[in-house]
Amino acid sequence: MTAEPDTTINVNSQDLQALGNAGINKADIEKMLHALATDLRSGNEAAVHDQANGLTAAEIEILREGGAYGLDDTFPGALARSRRLAVMRLQLEFKQLQRDSLYASAVAELLGISAARVRQLTNPGNPGLYSFKGARSKAWFPRWQFVESSVIPHLRLVLQTLSPQAHPVTVQQFMTQVNNDLWSSELEENLSPRDWLIAGYPAEPVLSLIRDI
């Protein structure tokens, strides 16, 4: 008699709490696993095997910057799995970013301006606010660009320099993670681009860095 396959996936309570704190629920995880299984069943792995090393040099570099691992393994199956895991991670981070961001109406209330003015400030030709499209093409505004009831200093310069193709998750990580090139001699520590600007330092070092993302 053939034994039934074990369909239970064990996740410890600390992992569940961390995922919950990030706004990632059971349904999100189930969708990601289903997407991965569907991809495997569709035969996409065989298509990846036809490529030299499974990934291009540019793709490998992008995934490395995003924290992907196992990219030095030349076994095509391992590379394919690494890419899928990196994509799953990006999808989860995007969901978390969307849940942490503000609606246009909330931004209007925070800044004390009209909803029409918020829309004007998202004009791609001269942006004064950063937004991205979420579900049903709704605009979302990440919190990193706000401080108290205003925007961070030099935000307009940052947005004018930022590539329109930059992924919202990449932008969020760049603006909020400590950067080794932004050393504050007064505070004796490295700062994130966001904190650097809030602290009153010149924008140019941040602008120089953001050109590369």
Side-chain angles (χ1 to χ4, degrees):
M1 181 176 179
T2 304
E4 291 292 326
D6 184 4
T7 58
T8 302
I9 299 176
N10 295 317
V11 182
N12 65 48
S13 58
Q14 289 181 330
D15 290 341
L16 287 174
Q17 182 175 357
L19 291 168
N21 291 340
I24 298 169
N25 58 34
K26 177 183 176 183
D28 294 330
I29 298 170
E30 288 175 345
K31 288 178 182 177
M32 295 300 102
L33 290 175
H34 176 67
L36 177 59
T38 300
D39 190 39
L40 290 170
R41 286 194 299 269
S42 70
N44 284 347
E45 186 163 10
V48 171
H49 286 184
D50 293 336
Q51 304 176 36
N53 295 328
L55 296 172
T56 67
E59 287 174 326
I60 290 174
E61 186 60 30
I62 290 170
L63 294 180
R64 275 206 191 99
E65 290 177 358
Y69 56 89
L71 297 175
D72 291 325
D73 187 344
T74 56
F75 180 64
L79 288 169
R81 285 190 294 274
S82 293
R83 181 164 63 178
R84 291 194 192 93
L85 289 172
V87 170
M88 290 172 67
R89 175 179 173 181
L90 182 63
Q91 289 174 318
L92 290 173
E93 289 177 343
F94 185 74
K95 283 180 175 290
Q96 179 183 345
L97 174 60
Q98 182 172 307
R99 287 175 176 149
D100 290 343
S101 297
L102 301 176
Y103 291 113
S105 57
V107 173
E109 182 177 355
L110 175 68
L111 301 180
I113 59 178
S114 67
R117 179 56 180 158
V118 171
R119 289 192 295 271
Q120 290 175 351
L121 289 171
T122 59
N123 185 337
N126 187 27
L129 288 172
Y130 179 78
S131 66
F132 64 92
K133 298 295 184 182
R136 297 181 295 277
S137 297
K138 190 176 186 66
W140 295 87
F141 297 79
R143 294 179 183 271
W144 60 257
Q145 63 192 311
F146 305 111
V147 54
E148 297 180 352
S149 59
S150 185
V151 298
I152 62 175
H154 306 297
L155 176 61
R156 191 177 292 274
L157 286 175
V158 167
L159 300 183
Q160 289 172 347
T161 309
L162 177 66
S163 169
Q165 282 73 46
H167 194 282
V169 172
T170 302
V171 177
Q172 159 97 354
Q173 292 173 342
F174 171 81
M175 292 300 300
T176 60
Q177 291 179 357
V178 170
N179 193 300
N180 291 334
D181 291 323
L182 299 176
W183 169 257
S184 168
S185 56
E186 290 83 2
L187 299 175
E188 297 187 345
E189 63 179 342
N190 291 106
L191 301 177
S192 69
R194 177 183 187 276
D195 289 342
W196 175 272
L197 296 174
I198 291 173
Y201 291 113
E204 184 52 41
V206 173
L207 302 182
S208 179
L209 292 167
I210 206 169
R211 292 186 182 101
D212 295 329
I213 72 170

